[in-house]
C-alpha cells in the first residue's frame, strides 16, 4: 500500500478524529451540555477558578457569549461564582460538588464507551496498531 500524501492523511485523520469526538459526546450521560459548556467545565476543572474574560479568551469566544454559557452552567448548579481574590470588580467561576460529579460521570461514560469499542471491535494486533497511532498523535499535538 503506497504511503498517503500528508494532505490526504491530514484530511482522513481530521475526519476520523471528528467522528470519534461525536461518538464520545453521544456516549456522555450529560448530552444536554453543549461542546462549549463541556469545554468550560473541563477547563475550570484542570485550570482552577477563572474569570469570564479568561474563559472567553481560552475558548476563542466573545465575553458576551461566555457570559451566556456561564449563566447556563450556574443555573444548572455545576458552577458557582465568587468574588475575585484581588480585583473586586470581577468574579471567578469554579466547579460545585455537583459540577465535579457531573464532569466525572461524563468522563467515565466516554472512557467506558471507548474501552468497550476497542475491546469488541479490534483484534489484539489492531489494538497494538492503535497504541502506536495514539503515540504518533501525541507527538503531533506536542508543542
Amino acid at each position: 500500500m503506497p504511503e498517503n500524501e500528508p494532505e490526504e492523511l491530514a484530511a482522513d485523520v481530521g475526519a476520523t478524529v471528528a467522528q470519534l469526538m461525536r461518538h464520545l459526546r453521544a456516549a456522555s450521560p450529560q448530552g444536554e451540555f453543549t461542546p462549549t459548556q463541556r469545554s468550560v467545565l473541563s477547563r475550570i476543572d484542570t485550570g482552577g477558578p477563572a474569570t469570564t474574560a479568561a474563559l472567553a479568551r481560552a475558548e476563542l469566544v466573545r465575553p458576551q457569549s461566555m457570559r451566556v454559557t456561564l449563566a447556563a452552567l450556574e443555573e444548572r448548579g455545576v458552577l458557582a461564582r465568587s468574588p475575585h481574590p484581588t480585583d473586586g470588580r470581577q468574579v471567578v467561576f469554579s466547579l460545585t460538588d455537583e459540577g465535579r460529579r457531573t464532569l466525572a460521570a461524563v468522563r467515565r461514560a466516554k472512557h467506558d464507551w471507548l474501552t468497550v469499542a476497542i475491546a469488541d471491535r479490534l483484534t489484539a494486533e489492531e489494538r497494538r496498531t492503535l497504541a502506536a497511532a495514539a503515540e504518533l498523535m501525541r507527538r503531533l499535538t506536542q508543542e
Side-chain angles (χ1 to χ4, degrees), residues 43-140:
R43 189 173 299 282
I44 291 173
D45 183 49
T46 58
T51 64
T52 301
L55 290 165
R57 279 190 303 276
E59 294 294 320
L60 304 175
V61 300
R62 294 179 26 214
Q64 296 87 338
S65 298
M66 183 53 65
R67 277 195 278 284
V68 171
T69 298
L70 293 170
L73 292 170
E74 190 176 21
E75 185 176 307
R76 297 198 46 195
V78 295
L79 284 186
R81 69 175 63 211
S82 59
H84 190 282
T86 60
D87 184 348
R89 299 168 296 168
Q90 295 189 63
V91 296
V92 292
F93 289 87
S94 56
L95 288 176
T96 63
D97 289 340
E98 178 62 22
R100 279 187 276 290
R101 281 190 296 274
T102 298
L103 195 53
V106 166
R107 289 175 174 160
R108 189 172 39 258
K110 290 176 179 183
H111 177 80
D112 291 350
W113 176 86
L114 190 54
T115 298
V116 169
I118 289 170
D120 290 352
R121 300 176 190 176
L122 301 180
T123 66
E125 180 62 30
E126 289 169 330
R127 288 193 296 274
R128 285 190 288 278
T129 300
L130 183 60
E135 177 55 33
L136 293 173
M137 292 177 81
R138 255 189 301 285
R139 283 184 31 211
L140 287 175

